[in-house]
Amino acid sequence: MAGLAPLGLIVGCRHIQAGDEQYLLPEENASMATREPGARAATGAGRHIAHELLRRLGCMNPAILRGRFGNPIWPAGIVGSIAHDDTMAVAVAARSGELRSVGVDIEPALPLPDDLRAVVAAPEDRLGDLDPNLGGRILFAVKEAAYKASFPLDGRVLGFEDIAVDFEKGEAVTSPGRRLAVCFATSPCILALTYTASER
């Protein structure tokens, strides 16, 4: 995971464990709708990683509230992203002077069902030489990560059809015109990272 990260981005991961919901801070709990225990454990695992990243970045209050669209609200001066599948949670964070925005997604290294692939893929996507078995799942993960990175900048809820991914160029372009760098890994799970650099 660290090998994917651009300069200035710090990363962490954790196997989700029963009871990880204990890591949700009181103000985070208050910002979230009631969810079933497994989902709360996954959310707690993600927040636990993110809290540690924020402490490493010098944040005194590492609370990450939930926005009205389910998006995490990061402390001022920080950009970040959190994701989980059924077994693993990941989080990434950076100072906003290093990156303007970042998105991460994690998925099992399994083929995407054909019916879902038909929803995810768009004519503008350029898959290049992706593994034919995992290409759909990689595309899904990258589009999820791209949405997470674009939402804080544009405030737009996007569908899969609103994000075009060109794996040969290593970029994703959203319908509002946002360009994001793309990188991913496929083992032991699929991890997708998208970001846009800060203007210097």
Side-chain angles (χ1 to χ4, degrees):
M1 186 170 167
L4 297 180
L7 188 65
L9 186 71
I10 57 174
V11 304
C13 63
R14 173 185 175 84
H15 283 287
I16 300 166
Q17 301 174 34
D20 275 353
E21 61 272 17
Q22 69 179 307
Y23 295 114
L24 291 168
L25 300 175
E27 55 267 56
E28 292 172 338
N29 254 324
S31 75
M32 297 177 189
T34 302
R35 306 175 76 189
E36 57 92 11
R40 291 188 65 78
T43 300
R47 288 300 196 278
H48 184 50
I49 303 160
H51 296 159
E52 177 56 31
L53 298 182
L54 289 173
R55 290 185 188 100
R56 287 170 56 189
L57 291 171
C59 287
M60 300 301 293
N61 178 6
I64 305 164
L65 305 185
R66 185 180 178 89
R68 60 187 293 250
F69 293 102
N71 53 300
I73 300 173
W74 294 82
I78 301 293
V79 297
S81 186
I82 305 170
H84 65 80
D85 63 7
D86 291 339
T87 61
M88 182 77 71
V90 296
V92 297
R95 297 186 188 282
S96 55
E98 298 291 337
L99 296 175
R100 288 191 67 202
S101 194
V102 62
V104 69
D105 192 49
I106 185 170
E107 297 289 331
L110 298 169
L112 196 68
D114 289 341
D115 58 340
L116 187 53
R117 183 170 181 148
V119 173
V120 172
E124 298 80 13
D125 294 326
R126 298 290 177 263
L127 303 187
D129 60 354
L130 284 187
D131 180 326
N133 291 322
L134 296 181
R137 184 78 68 169
I138 296 167
L139 182 64
F140 177 92
V142 167
K143 289 195 176 190
E144 287 285 314
Y147 170 64
K148 291 179 180 182
S150 69
F151 184 82
L153 299 175
D154 301 320
R156 294 273 297 272
V157 175
L158 303 178
F160 292 113
E161 71 279 4
D162 295 314
I163 303 168
V165 182
D166 187 329
F167 285 98
E168 294 179 356
K169 291 183 178 179
E171 75 171 11
V173 182
T174 67
S175 54
R178 183 72 56 188
R179 292 184 178 275
L180 302 157
V182 166
C183 49
F184 67 91
T186 59
S187 179
C189 55
I190 293 171
L191 185 75
L193 183 68
T194 67
Y195 59 92
T196 183
S198 289
E199 298 174 359
R200 299 291 184 176

